[in-house]
Amino acid sequence: MTDPLLQYRDRFPILSKTKYLVSHSLGAMPEATREALVEYADLWASRGVRAWGDKWWMMSIEVGDIIAPLIGAPHGSVVMLPNVTTAEAVVLSSYEYTAPRNRVVIVDGEFPSVRYIYDRLARRLGAEIVTVPHDATGLGFDLDRLLAAIDEQTQIVPIGHILFESSYMIDVEAIARRCREVGATLVLDVFQSAGIVPVDVTGWDVPIAVGGVLKWLCGGPGGSFLYVDPALRPKLEPSFTGWMAHANPFAFEAPPMRFRDDALRFALGTPPIPALYAAREGPKVIAEASGGDMNIIREKSLRQTQRIMDLADARGFELRTPRESDRRGGSVSVLMPHAKEVAYELNAEDIVCDFRPGAGVRFSPHFYTTDDELEIAFATVDEILRTDRWKRQAAKQTIVT
């Protein structure tokens, strides 16, 4: 059976020579990105500072409008920011943390950068951090325990839709419902889900979401985004802010701050314009390939991640990703003998994957991945282990140490 999604492979130069199984970390670059960056350079070269008025000033929202349909957000509700750490800090600074509503509920398994910003900055703002530990499997957490932790003392709940190491996917609707019941605010991180699974912030009634185009959306570094429900937006006044968020930025007024009424309310200082040019191209391809229905990409992802699990099972490798399709994101973590060294050897063979301690080798097929590439990857793992080729990497690590 012909896979219609494979018609998009030739838009990604790296796929002509590389088996690219690492889109959970950095999506493949579309050829159109090269053209977009040339467009940026040409505009700067020919128009100089006038480029701000020609194109650049509103790009943070214009690119956000390309992403918005892919996460179920309305037009004009998404603003681009340099990274998710920044987006989380903007959100964090939009709330007060005075008792009795001063708790931040977070779970084990969140990406470290998110954990750091809440552990450091939130505590300094007066927040009490409540961490829900891993469940017995170590892959996710007990939903009932999380829901019980979210109470009338909770201010915000920052949580990843899909946890980065295990690819464990949470029950967003149950958590959003609990937050509404007690008056807490859910801050959903869709970095590991946007572009590979359906996301619907409006349908799920998610008030705030953060994410980025670096991974499954194939938009490169420096392009993260912040969604705030338009009904909530005028109620928030972040203390971590900048001149682009001002209602009249070119008046260069002294404080107090007067905020804009649109999504740029959550902007900061000068945005990374080259990153915005790059950020728009991958999401365009995703939108075209999915035809507006992310279930098309999701169905292929589930089929191929299941094949990876079958290949791992056949070799007796341990899985560090949920087997249940409704709890599994787009990547599969496989604990295998000498996993770190095997991952290095696979990369040397242009079979690109990565390694994480405790999780093993992470593989992530995307809509542009062929079934044969999965078979070849595991056949190469067999050869690396059979020939003891992994020992070359172990020796290199010993020398470095």
Side-chain angles (χ1 to χ4, degrees), residues 80-376:
M80 301 300 293
L81 292 169
N83 50 62
V84 163
T85 305
T86 301
E88 295 275 10
V90 170
V91 173
L92 180 62
S93 74
S94 298
Y95 289 86
E96 299 291 336
Y97 302 91
T98 54
R101 191 176 289 278
N102 67 331
R103 287 182 178 169
V104 174
V105 176
I106 200 164
V107 301
D108 275 338
E110 291 292 347
F111 192 73
S113 191
V114 176
R115 298 285 299 273
Y116 300 154
I117 194 76
Y118 284 97
D119 182 68
R120 302 289 298 174
L121 182 56
R123 289 186 192 277
R124 289 187 179 183
L125 294 175
E128 174 190 348
I129 309 301
V130 177
T131 303
V132 176
H134 279 304
D135 59 18
T137 69
L139 304 180
F141 51 84
D142 180 82
L143 179 61
D144 289 337
R145 185 169 184 176
L146 172 63
L147 297 180
I150 302 170
D151 58 19
E152 287 76 7
Q153 294 178 272
T154 304
Q155 182 68 282
I156 59 175
V157 181
I159 192 168
H161 186 190
I162 295 173
L163 301 185
F164 80 104
E165 283 186 317
S166 65
S167 200
Y168 176 90
M169 187 162 64
I170 70 170
D171 186 338
V172 176
E173 292 181 275
I175 298 167
R177 184 166 54 250
R178 176 59 177 167
C179 287
R180 291 193 298 273
E181 289 171 352
V182 299
T185 299
L186 173 61
V187 183
L188 184 67
D189 184 343
V190 299
F191 215 147
Q192 281 289 0
S193 57
I196 192 66
V197 304
V199 176
D200 187 2
V201 293
T202 301
W204 296 337
D205 202 5
V206 171
I208 300 176
V210 300
V213 299
L214 175 71
K215 304 176 187 296
W216 303 102
L217 288 172
C218 302
S224 290
F225 55 84
L226 169 62
Y227 159 77
V228 178
D229 183 340
L232 174 63
R233 184 168 62 211
K235 302 175 184 177
L236 300 183
E237 295 189 352
S239 56
F240 181 39
T241 187
W243 78 295
M244 289 193 73
H246 196 280
N248 187 7
F250 290 99
F252 304 108
E253 297 177 5
M257 178 69 165
R258 292 191 300 116
F259 284 97
R260 295 176 64 104
D261 294 326
D262 60 8
L264 282 178
R265 184 185 191 90
F266 304 103
L268 298 167
T270 305
I273 297 297
L276 295 181
Y277 275 88
R280 73 189 190 193
E281 301 306 323
K284 288 180 182 178
V285 182
I286 299 292
E288 182 181 347
S290 67
D293 181 5
M294 281 302 302
N295 285 296
I296 293 172
I297 290 177
R298 172 63 168 164
E299 288 170 6
K300 176 174 180 176
S301 174
L302 285 175
R303 177 176 62 79
Q304 290 193 324
T305 51
Q306 181 61 56
R307 182 56 185 157
I308 291 172
M309 292 191 295
D310 292 343
L311 290 165
D313 286 341
R315 290 158 173 79
F317 298 157
E318 180 184 351
L319 293 174
R320 298 300 296 161
T321 292
R323 293 181 181 272
E324 302 87 350
S325 61
D326 63 343
R327 286 289 166 263
R328 184 171 78 244
S331 62
V332 179
S333 297
V334 182
L335 274 179
M336 59 182 69
H338 318 293
K340 183 177 182 180
E341 293 77 17
V342 169
Y344 278 121
E345 284 294 318
L346 287 170
N347 276 272
E349 293 284 331
D350 252 351
I351 301 171
V352 186
C353 57
D354 67 10
F355 166 82
R356 291 292 181 270
V361 182
R362 296 193 302 172
F363 298 102
S364 59
H366 205 356
F367 71 104
Y368 41 56
T369 305
T370 68
D371 292 345
D372 286 346
E373 288 175 313
L374 307 181
E375 308 292 331
I376 292 169

